[in-house]
Structures are given as C-alpha cells and as structure tokens.
Amino acid sequence: MTDSSEDKTETAAAGSAAATTTGKAPAPFLQVRDLKVHFRTDDGLVKSVDGLNFSLEKGKTLGIVGESGSGKSVTSLAVMGLHRASRQQRSKVDMSGEIWLDGKELVSADPDQVRRLRGREMAMIFQDPLSALHPFYSVGSQIVEAYRVHNDVDKKTARKRAIEMLDRVGIPQPDKRVDDHPHQFSGGMRQRAMIAMALVNNPELLIADEPTTALDVTVQAQILDLIRDLQKEFGSAVIIITHDLGVVAELADDLLVMYGGRCVERGPAEKVFYEPQHPYTWGLLGSMPRIDREQTDRLIPVKGSPPSLINVPSGCAFNPRCPYAEVPKDNLTRTVRPELREAGGGHSSACHMSQEERERIWTEEIAPKL
Ligand SMILES: Nc1ncnc2c1ncn2[C@@H]1O[C@H](COP(=O)(O)OP(=O)(O)OP(=O)(O)O)[C@@H](O)[C@H]1O
C-alpha cells in the first residue's frame, strides 16, 4: 500500500493505532482508499462516490454524515460488497479503489469471498428492519438461519443463541417472542431484532445505515444506547450513516462529512462538531433541530438542492450553495476543486478559504447564532 498525502491526514481512529515492536504501524482494521462507485445510467455517468478515503479501527465508531444523495449508502454498500450482488447491477456499476478489511482487499476480491465475510466479519443494519426481516418467517428462525450459515451447529443450539441475542438486545420474554413474526413486533423491537440478527456472529465491522430515522425520539435514543453498549461489549468497528449530525455527535469517535460523493470534512467528532471548518458542515449544524430553541430559530439551513452527480458543479461542488463562495480570490471556488487540507489533530476539510478566514467566520458569524 502506498501512502498518498491525503492518507496522512486520516482520521484519529487510524492515527491512534499503536506502533508495533518492529516500529511499523499496523494497518488499520478498515481502510478505504480512493473509492469510486460510478453508475452507468441512460442519463449519464452518476458519480455517487468519487474518491473517498477513510479508515477505522476496531472498537471505534465512524459517523458518515451528509444530505440525501451524498453517497453515504453507496459507500456502505460498497464496503459490504453489495453492489456486485445483483447481476443486473454488475454491468452498470464501475467500482475502483481499495477497501482493506482486516488485511483483505475487497474491491478486487472474488464476490463469493466477500459474501462469506458478510454476516460473519461484517454486518449491516438498515433504516427499515422489514428490508432485512422476511415477513413470512418467525424472527427466531431468521436469526437461527443467519447463525447456522456461518456455524456448524444444530437447530437447538442455534435457537438458544437466538434467544440469547434477543435477550441481549432488550426484547422482553425472548424465549416466547422468538417465535413471533416481524409484524408482531413494534418498530423499535423490529430494529432490535435486526440488530440481534446482525450481531449473532460477532461481526468485527457493523454498518448501521440510518438506524433510527424511522423511530420516535425516545426509541431512537434507546437504539443508539444499545449500539453503543454492544460495541463496547463486542469491540467491533462501527460505521453509522446518518443525515443528522446530532445523532452521531456523541456516539462517534470520528466524523466524515460527505457532499456530492466526496468527503468535505473529517476528523475527531468533537473537532468536527465544535470547531467545524467547512461551510457545508456549518449548514448541517444550522439545520439541526434543537430542543432548547423554537423551530423557527434554525439559523443557517443549507439553501438550495444537493448537486447533480452526473453534472457535478465545476470547482468546489458546494459553490452554488455556499454563502462564502466569493471570498476566495480569482474565482477559485468555481474553477478549482479543493482538496482536503489538514488543520491539525487529524482534522481536515476541503475549502478554498484560508483556515484563518474560516476560523474567523465560524467564531464571529456562525457559532454565536447556533
Ligand atoms: N444503482 C444505482 N444506479 C444509479 N444511481 C444510483 C444507484 N444507487 C445510488 N445511486 C445514486 O447515487 C447517489 C448517492 O446515493 P446514496 O443512496 O448513497 O445517497 P445517501 O447519501 O445514502 O442518501 P439517502 O440518505 O437518501 O440514502 C444518488 O444520487 C443516487 O440516486
């Protein structure tokens, strides 16, 4: 693996990897390098993910944040090897770059090899549990199946394991509810059941794609607490995908903000949340609902719509929506695409304004209004 300048600014989770006795830092558990996922469609080439780099250690949580259509789900499906799963899509999707999981490269790997890793080494939970749970089979039998695919055990042993997992994720009377069908569970319980199914094989990487969006606020908090507890217990690496910065601000060790298929800001969660450097992140923070404010007080929502991923704006993709697009001289924002620049402490962002300028705007103009 070669080192690019961008890789040197990778997240703190990667940077915290301890040096070995040989003096060589071990490779991060998950490392994504220059990932591109482009779809060939009748309307043109959709550049859903266009050169993404990040890494993640076991026991750490990475939050991937961005508006709808920024490429978050496509990124997670790429890690899970799911863009290749459908024959129909295989002819339409162009994927390049590298995804290293525990020393194995997945982009060029045989699809069967990646399929074997799914469920055992990596698992995913979705916004809608019914997309993962089949309506015709009992919740328990689906967890039993998921367990037996990767473990050579009889049904009785697997059922015991399913009941244990349902108990662990907080389903009351798990020995009875194990035979219920998904529709007999509430939305929050279905989410818990899906988490139980995802974790039944102790995967080392868990990807949660908008895991709480469909739930009410109280259940949301419970599910996030559950994910946090389970991560501590299982020591897995977790990626949480959300459009809501508030959901991941406390949970994540690192944050990666995506815009138009690229990373515009990343770093330790407290840096990105409390000292954000990119005008798009300011907008995300400004549009976050706050319980201590009236709804009308959301001050700096991101105006306009996300960019087309077929005709991405030239220069900085955010420039048509950026209130500060005119600040950099020589029309730079509209002509040159900004690269990620390190601001210190593993925090980097891609913006043409100088760091001093952005710090001034954040401190004087944005932060006081949030
Ligand atoms: N199979 C596909 N073929 C063509 N375009 C696709 C395909 N899958 C995703 N896209 C496009 O890729 C872009 C990124 O989609 P993605 O689902 O990753 O966004 P997202 O950030 O997860 O948004 P959301 O929060 O709405 O799920 C979108 O413009 C989407 O239309």
Side-chain angles (χ1 to χ4, degrees):
M1 286 190 284
T2 53
D3 242 0
S4 73
S5 61
E6 192 176 326
D7 291 330
K8 290 189 184 120
T9 66
E10 268 169 1
T11 55
S16 64
T20 62
T21 45
T22 60
K24 234 176 129 187
F29 174 66
L30 172 69
Q31 185 155 42
V32 170
R33 291 172 168 254
D34 198 23
L35 179 68
K36 292 185 180 157
V37 186
H38 296 173
F39 294 98
R40 275 176 274 138
T41 71
D42 292 344
D43 298 327
L45 191 65
V46 182
K47 296 183 176 175
S48 299
V49 176
D50 201 26
L52 198 62
N53 294 275
F54 65 85
S55 55
L56 180 62
E57 292 296 350
K58 272 168 65 175
K60 298 281 181 185
T61 300
L62 171 71
I64 303 186
V65 193
E67 287 169 302
S68 184
S70 53
K72 308 180 299 292
S73 300
V74 170
T75 301
S76 57
L77 292 173
V79 173
M80 296 291 292
L82 285 171
H83 288 306
R84 289 157 176 268
S86 110
R87 277 174 200 282
Q88 197 197 358
Q89 277 202 0
R90 204 190 294 189
S91 63
K92 285 188 180 169
V93 61
D94 294 327
M95 211 164 118
S96 65
E98 296 168 17
I99 299 171
W100 290 90
L101 181 77
D102 205 10
K104 292 176 277 288
E105 205 289 297
L106 306 185
V107 174
S108 58
D110 181 64
D112 283 340
Q113 192 193 344
V114 181
R115 189 174 44 76
R116 281 194 295 275
L117 294 178
R118 263 200 310 275
R120 200 186 59 207
E121 276 201 41
M122 54 187 182
M124 191 158 174
I125 56 178
F126 301 90
Q127 175 179 340
D128 174 13
L130 292 179
S131 61
L133 294 169
H134 198 290
F136 293 164
Y137 300 101
S138 71
V139 167
S141 66
Q142 297 183 60
I143 301 177
V144 162
E145 265 319 296
Y147 190 55
R148 292 187 75 207
V149 167
H150 297 290
N151 297 277
D152 187 15
V153 292
D154 59 28
K155 280 193 175 163
K156 203 173 147 203
T157 311
R159 182 180 161 89
K160 199 167 151 254
R161 171 81 178 157
I163 295 172
E164 257 170 42
M165 285 308 295
L166 288 175
D167 187 34
R168 181 62 201 85
V169 298
I171 301 287
Q173 297 185 291
D175 50 333
K176 295 201 172 58
R177 305 302 302 253
V178 68
D179 295 316
D180 280 358
H181 285 70
H183 70 268
Q184 293 169 284
F185 276 22
S186 68
M189 278 166 68
R190 280 202 287 265
Q191 201 67 359
R192 288 172 190 270
M194 181 168 53
I195 294 174
M197 190 158 87
L199 293 181
V200 72
N201 295 308
N202 294 350
E204 294 179 308
L205 172 66
L206 176 70
I207 303 184
D209 192 347
E210 303 275 4
T212 60
T213 307
L215 305 170
D216 69 48
V217 179
T218 322
V219 183
Q220 243 182 42
Q222 291 167 357
I223 296 291
L224 292 173
D225 282 348
L226 176 65
I227 293 176
R228 191 194 332 240
D229 291 350
L230 291 171
Q231 179 186 41
K232 277 200 196 117
E233 192 177 320
F234 291 87
S236 31
V238 174
I239 298 179
I240 298 201
I241 290 175
T242 175
H243 60 272
D244 185 348
L245 248 178
V247 163
V248 284
E250 278 183 37
L251 198 62
D253 298 286
D254 293 290
L255 288 176
L256 187 155
V257 182
M258 279 188 86
Y259 188 78
R262 292 172 66 97
C263 170
V264 294
E265 178 157 5
R266 68 181 181 199
E270 68 276 13
K271 286 262 181 204
V272 176
F273 197 69
Y274 294 109
E275 298 164 35
Q277 295 249 332
H278 198 283
Y280 176 61
T281 316
W282 301 341
L284 289 180
L285 283 166
S287 44
M288 250 175 65
R290 291 262 307 255
I291 40 169
D292 55 338
R293 281 188 198 275
E294 294 293 322
Q295 294 285 308
T296 47
D297 276 356
R298 293 179 192 177
L299 289 167
I300 323 152
V302 194
K303 292 200 178 105
S305 322
S308 151
L309 296 176
I310 296 179
N311 294 307
V312 183
S314 60
C316 172
F318 188 55
N319 88 70
R321 305 171 75 188
C322 182
Y324 305 98
E326 308 301 333
V327 174
K329 292 200 171 58
D330 303 329
N331 213 16
L332 206 56
T333 320
R334 294 197 170 79
T335 52
V336 179
R337 181 179 271 184
E339 295 299 330
L340 283 170
R341 274 184 294 157
E342 162 99 43
H347 186 190
S348 42
S349 57
C351 176
H352 284 305
M353 284 191 283
S354 69
Q355 199 180 326
E356 295 71 39
E357 190 70 68
R358 286 180 281 150
E359 279 172 7
R360 186 199 63 72
I361 295 172
W362 167 249
T363 317
E364 294 175 13
E365 297 178 25
I366 313 285
K369 293 188 198 159
L370 292 178

